[in-house]
């Protein structure tokens, strides 16, 4: 428990710093975990949970909307697994991941940047930065 506490404190500080350095509207971290397994073959299901979220004062939190969701819901996560990152206008996300596109739009997101984080060559989390307005971003 102490290890998690120490890591969480550091992650909150880093995400908060990143929020202000990038002038983002939201910085978040989705960590991966495996839940229950398939009854037929024992293969575990992959889940994600937004453990960290920092927002500007005028941006509503969405952290509760990303709690223990199956990774298979969002194909973009597999693309990030393969390539290590994804960034662009949310409109560009629609052909890749229609469900996440509509989810991001409902969260007032217009621009998204994601980076996969690893621990011992294993996927640990996705760090995300989002913007509600792209007028000040050099795309």
């Amino acid at each position: 428990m102490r290890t998690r506490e120490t890591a969480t404190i550091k992650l909150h500080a880093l995400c908060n710093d990143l929020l202000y350095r990038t002038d983002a509207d939201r910085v978040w971290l989705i960590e991966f975990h495996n839940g229950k397994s398939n009854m037929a073959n024992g293969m575990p299901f992959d889940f994600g949970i937004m453990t960290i979220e920092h927002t500007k004062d005028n941006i509503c939190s969405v952290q509760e909307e990303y709690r223990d969701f199956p990774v298979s819901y969002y194909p973009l996560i597999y693309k990030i697994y393969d390539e290590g990152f994804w960034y662009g206008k949310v409109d560009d996300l629609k052909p890749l991941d229609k469900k996440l596109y509509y989810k991001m739009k409902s969260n007032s997101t217009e621009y998204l940047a994601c980076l996969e984080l690893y621990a011992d060559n294993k996927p640990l989390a996705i760090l995300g930065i989002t913007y509600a307005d792209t007028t000040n971003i050099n795309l």
Side-chain angles (χ1 to χ4, degrees):
M1 205 163 146
R2 290 283 183 220
T3 303
R4 170 54 79 172
E5 177 186 9
T6 301
T8 299
I9 290 168
K10 288 179 182 177
L11 288 169
H12 273 290
L14 289 169
C15 286
N16 192 53
D17 185 53
L18 189 57
L19 178 74
Y20 291 101
R21 285 178 181 257
T22 61
D23 198 28
D25 292 304
R26 177 179 290 115
V27 172
W28 46 266
L29 187 75
I30 290 178
E31 292 185 72
F32 303 118
H33 67 91
N34 39 345
K36 298 177 182 176
S37 60
N38 180 296
M39 290 173 56
N41 62 16
M43 187 182 319
F45 294 104
D46 294 331
F47 288 87
I49 181 170
M50 188 180 287
T51 55
I52 307 283
E53 178 193 41
H54 285 263
T55 63
K56 283 186 175 176
D57 289 339
N58 61 335
I59 302 294
C60 294
S61 173
V62 297
Q63 189 170 14
E64 290 297 319
E65 296 177 34
Y66 297 90
R67 180 177 200 88
D68 293 328
F69 62 89
V71 169
S72 61
Y73 281 8
Y74 302 113
L76 179 66
I77 293 175
Y78 294 112
K79 184 169 181 61
I80 294 168
Y81 274 173
D82 290 341
E83 298 178 11
F85 65 93
W86 189 90
Y87 65 93
K89 292 180 180 179
V90 170
D91 290 340
D92 297 336
L93 180 59
K94 192 173 183 181
L96 301 170
D97 191 332
K98 190 175 175 181
K99 188 177 210 171
L100 188 57
Y101 162 78
Y102 284 113
K103 188 78 169 152
M104 288 286 148
K105 284 294 203 178
S106 76
N107 297 151
S108 300
T109 300
E110 293 298 325
Y111 186 83
L112 168 67
C114 298
L115 176 69
E116 187 169 16
L117 304 177
Y118 292 88
D120 299 323
N121 292 323
K122 295 177 188 171
L124 174 68
I126 291 179
L127 175 65
I129 301 172
T130 63
Y131 295 85
D133 180 7
T134 60
T135 55
N136 295 325
I137 300 173
N138 184 7
L139 302 174

